[in-house]
Amino acid sequence: MTETPVTSEMRAERLRAGLKGRYARESRFKLYGLLAIGVAVSFLLLLLGRIFEQGHTAFYAHSVTVPVYMDASRIDRAYPQGTNFELLVAEQQLARFGVTDDERGTQATAMRGLFSSELKFVAAERVARQPGLIGQTVPLTAPVSDDADLYLKGEISRDTPAEQRRLSDVQIDWLDRMKASGQVAAHVNGALFTKGDSTEPELAGVLGAVVGSALMLLVTAVIAIPLGVGAALYLEEFAPRGRLTDLIEVNINNLAAVPSIIYGLLGLALFINWMHLPRASPLVGGLVLALMALPTIIIATRSSLKAVPPSIREAALAMGASKTQTVFQHTLPLAMPGVMTGAIISMAHALGETAPLLLIGMVSFIPGVPASFGEPTGALPSLVYIWENASERAFHERTAAAILVLLAFMIVMNAAAIFLRRRFERRW
C-alpha cells in the first residue's frame, strides 16, 4: 500500500487552515474579553444608577417661609430661647387656614409636625439679635420636617393608606395649600455639606464625617507611607537573604490578607484599652488604618523596586556610587510612580473600611465637626452604616448621598494616584 505524497499545495492548505483556526481563536478570545468588560461595566452602572436613583433627592430640600407675629406676651426678652416658637407658629398658621383647634391642641401638634425643629432656633436667634422685632410680624424661613420633605419629593403618596404613612390627609392638605401659596420652596440642600450629623434627617450633614475621614487619612499617611516604604527598601535592597527575611516576607503577605475587623480588635486592645488614647478619635482611627495599610504599601513598593532593571544598580555601583546612593538616587526615583500609586490606592482602600472603625467607637452619634485629632468624630463609612440603620425613612436617601460623597472622595484619590504616576514617569 503506497502513501499519498504530500505536495506543496497540501502543505499550503494545511498552513492556511491552521492560520484560520488561530485567527478564529484570537477573535473568540477578544470577544470573551469584551463580554467580560461589558458585564463588569453593566454591573457597575447598575450599582451607581441605583445609588444615584435613591440618593439624588438628598441634594435638594424644601423650606417654608411663614409670617410670625412676635407676641410680646409670650416671648421673654431676657431669654428668647425659652419661648415655644413652634407652638406659636403652628397656632398662627392654623388661624390663617381658618382651623379651630381643640382643647388638647391636636391640630397644633399636627401643624408642628410639618416644620423642622430648626424653626425655634431660627426664631430665637433672630429675636436675640434684634430685640426690636418683638411686637412685629416677621417672615421666618426654616426647613420643613423630614416627612413633609419626602411628600414634596414624591416619596410619600396620598394614595398610600393613611395607616401606612406618617402624614395624615389633613397635613397633606396643609402642605398643598402652603405650596400653592408660594410658602414652600425647593433649594439646594446646603446643610448636607455644611453640617455634621443630627438626629433630625433634614438637618443632618456629612461635614463632620468628611473632616473626620480626612484627619484619619492624614494620620494614616504620615505613619504608614514612610514606614511602609522604608521597610520595603530595607527588605528589597539591604536585608541579607536568609530564613529570617523569608519569614518576614511570608508574614507580610499574610497580614495583607487578614480581615480588617482583626485590625479593629487590635486597635481596641492596643490603642484604647492599653494606651488609653481617646476613643473614636481620628488619632486612633488613623493608627488602626495605618496598621492595615502597611502590608499593602510594603508589597506594592517592593514590586516597584523589583521592576527597576538591575542594569541601573550595576551602572551606578560601577561609577563608584555607594549602596545607599544607588538606592536613593537611582532605584527609588525610578520606582516612585509605582510606590506613589500603591500608597494612594492603599489610602483609598483604608478610606472605605468600616469594620475596624466600628470597633473603636465610631458608631456613636457625634453631631459636631472635629477640631483636633483627639476629639471624637465619625467617618464616612461609619456614617453610612449609622444612617442606613436609622428608623427615619429620610435617612435612607441621605445614606445613598453619603455613599456618593465617599465614592467621589475615592475617585479623587485614585485620580491623584494616576496624576502623580504620570508626573514621575515624565520626569524620569
Side-chain angles (χ1 to χ4, degrees):
M1 184 175 182
T2 60
E3 296 183 358
T4 303
V6 178
T7 63
S8 58
E9 289 79 4
M10 297 175 62
R11 293 193 185 93
E13 184 64 28
R14 291 177 183 177
L15 180 60
R16 284 193 292 269
L19 288 174
K20 184 177 180 181
R22 279 188 289 174
Y23 290 150
R25 289 192 294 271
E26 182 179 355
S27 299
R28 287 196 299 270
F29 180 78
K30 290 181 179 179
L31 178 61
Y32 296 153
L34 291 175
L35 288 175
I37 294 174
V39 171
V41 172
S42 299
F43 278 111
L44 177 61
L45 293 177
L46 179 63
L47 173 63
L48 294 178
R50 184 66 185 91
I51 294 174
F52 183 79
E53 179 186 2
Q54 181 180 349
H56 77 280
T57 54
F59 294 101
Y60 71 95
H62 292 85
S63 61
V64 58
T65 302
V66 291
V68 181
Y69 173 68
M70 299 297 179
D71 193 346
S73 62
R74 301 178 62 174
I75 299 176
D76 186 359
R77 290 178 177 269
Y79 186 65
Q81 292 81 2
T83 305
N84 192 345
F85 284 104
E86 290 177 291
L87 180 59
L88 180 65
V89 172
E91 291 176 347
Q92 294 183 15
Q93 192 69 9
L94 288 174
R96 294 187 191 94
F97 287 165
V99 178
T100 303
D101 203 356
D102 55 22
E103 294 181 355
R104 294 180 300 175
T106 305
Q107 301 298 323
T109 301
M111 179 62 74
R112 289 172 60 181
L114 302 180
F115 304 114
S116 170
S117 60
E118 182 75 2
L119 177 64
K120 59 185 177 182
F121 299 107
V122 172
E125 182 183 0
R126 188 88 175 269
V127 173
R129 190 173 62 250
Q130 297 175 285
L133 295 177
I134 298 178
Q136 302 181 21
T137 300
V138 180
L140 293 180
T141 301
V144 298
S145 66
D146 56 332
D147 293 319
D149 189 52
L150 288 176
Y151 169 73
L152 294 170
K153 292 176 179 177
E155 300 294 330
I156 295 179
S157 174
R158 186 190 290 269
D159 298 331
T160 305
E163 63 273 9
Q164 297 181 14
R165 46 181 161 86
R166 298 176 61 178
L167 289 178
S168 65
D169 291 335
V170 174
Q171 289 177 306
I172 291 177
D173 291 336
W174 291 340
L175 277 174
D176 290 339
R177 291 182 63 178
M178 286 188 286
K179 183 178 180 180
S181 64
Q183 290 181 285
V184 176
H187 57 85
V188 176
N189 188 10
L192 184 65
F193 304 100
T194 59
K195 294 184 178 181
D197 197 7
S198 174
T199 55
E200 304 291 337
E202 69 274 11
L203 304 178
V206 300
L207 180 61
V210 170
V211 174
S213 295
L215 292 176
M216 281 194 304
L217 285 181
L218 180 59
V219 174
T220 303
V222 168
I223 295 175
I225 293 178
L227 288 179
V229 174
L233 282 172
Y234 177 76
L235 289 174
E236 190 63 31
E237 302 292 340
F238 297 99
R241 300 302 174 190
R243 292 185 178 180
L244 180 59
T245 304
D246 294 338
L247 180 63
I248 293 174
E249 292 179 359
V250 170
N251 280 279
I252 290 174
N253 293 329
N254 289 334
L255 286 174
V258 170
S260 60
I261 195 171
I262 303 300
Y263 290 100
L265 292 171
L266 175 62
L268 177 64
L270 178 62
F271 300 126
I272 296 179
N273 295 338
W274 185 61
M275 299 179 65
H276 303 290
L277 294 177
R279 190 181 184 90
S281 64
L283 177 60
V284 174
L287 289 171
V288 172
L289 295 180
L291 292 177
M292 189 182 68
L294 265 175
T296 304
I297 295 176
I298 293 174
I299 293 172
T301 302
R302 294 193 65 185
S303 299
S304 300
L305 292 172
K306 289 178 181 178
V308 177
S311 58
I312 300 295
R313 300 176 179 85
E314 295 169 359
L317 294 173
M319 294 298 294
S322 65
K323 181 68 173 178
T324 303
Q325 289 175 324
T326 301
V327 171
F328 287 96
Q329 296 180 13
H330 299 278
T331 307
L332 183 58
L334 290 174
M336 190 57 69
V339 173
M340 295 300 300
T341 301
I344 295 179
I345 289 177
S346 67
M347 294 297 103
H349 178 257
L351 173 65
E353 286 295 338
T354 307
L357 303 182
L358 300 182
L359 289 175
I360 62 174
M362 288 189 174
V363 70
S364 305
F365 170 70
I366 302 173
V369 179
S372 67
F373 292 97
E375 292 185 8
T377 184
L380 282 171
S382 59
L383 185 68
V384 169
Y385 175 82
I386 294 170
W387 282 0
E388 183 60 28
N389 287 278
S391 58
E392 290 84 354
R393 182 178 173 184
F395 271 122
H396 296 170
E397 65 172 5
R398 282 161 175 77
T399 300
I403 293 174
L404 292 174
V405 173
L406 178 60
L407 290 176
F409 208 149
M410 298 180 69
I411 289 172
V412 169
M413 294 189 65
N414 284 278
I418 295 173
F419 171 77
L420 290 174
R421 182 183 183 92
R422 291 181 177 177
R423 183 175 180 181
F424 277 102
E425 287 176 348
R426 287 196 299 267
R427 178 177 296 180
W428 299 99

